[in-house]
Amino acid sequence: MTQRHTPTPWDIAAHMTYTIADAQGRVIASTRTLSFLNTEEAISNARFIVQAVNAHEALLAALQVLVVTPHILYYLEANDPMALEQARAAIAKAKGG
């Protein structure tokens, strides 16, 4: 997959809004407290975005290995084909499909 986004890891920088920055401190995105969100929820949202972004490559790689590992593939095909399809769908979604 060609990387077009800002390289990870990303982190949270608290300013007037809660910003998401790359490893060099460049702001990538920001969240702010809206009238229906409290500060704790805004910070949690920013943390969730950062965790998802930073875990993306490792989770995708692990899932890709699992669906091609012969004994795991054999087990899933025989015992839980729905889980195998979900894994393949998750891989496609993570790749932008």
Side-chain angles (χ1 to χ4, degrees):
M1 175 169 70
T2 302
Q3 180 176 316
R4 295 186 180 177
H5 59 76
T6 304
T8 58
W10 293 3
D11 202 357
I12 298 169
H15 298 289
M16 295 299 285
T17 60
Y18 301 96
T19 60
I20 298 168
D22 68 7
Q24 286 75 44
R26 295 177 301 184
V27 175
I28 300 163
S30 64
T31 63
R32 58 189 166 126
T33 304
L34 302 173
S35 60
F36 58 89
L37 293 178
N38 61 40
T39 301
E40 184 178 321
E41 190 172 358
I43 293 169
S44 293
N45 289 343
R47 284 187 181 132
F48 183 69
I49 292 166
V50 168
Q51 288 170 345
V53 167
N54 289 342
H56 174 82
E57 292 298 324
L59 291 171
L60 177 59
L63 197 53
Q64 288 174 313
V65 167
L66 287 176
V67 299
V68 297
T69 301
H71 65 279
I72 295 172
L73 184 59
Y74 174 79
Y75 175 84
L76 290 174
E77 286 174 339
N79 297 294
D80 199 350
M82 181 61 85
L84 183 58
E85 287 308 310
Q86 288 173 332
R88 289 178 173 152
I91 290 168
K93 189 173 185 177
K95 290 182 166 186

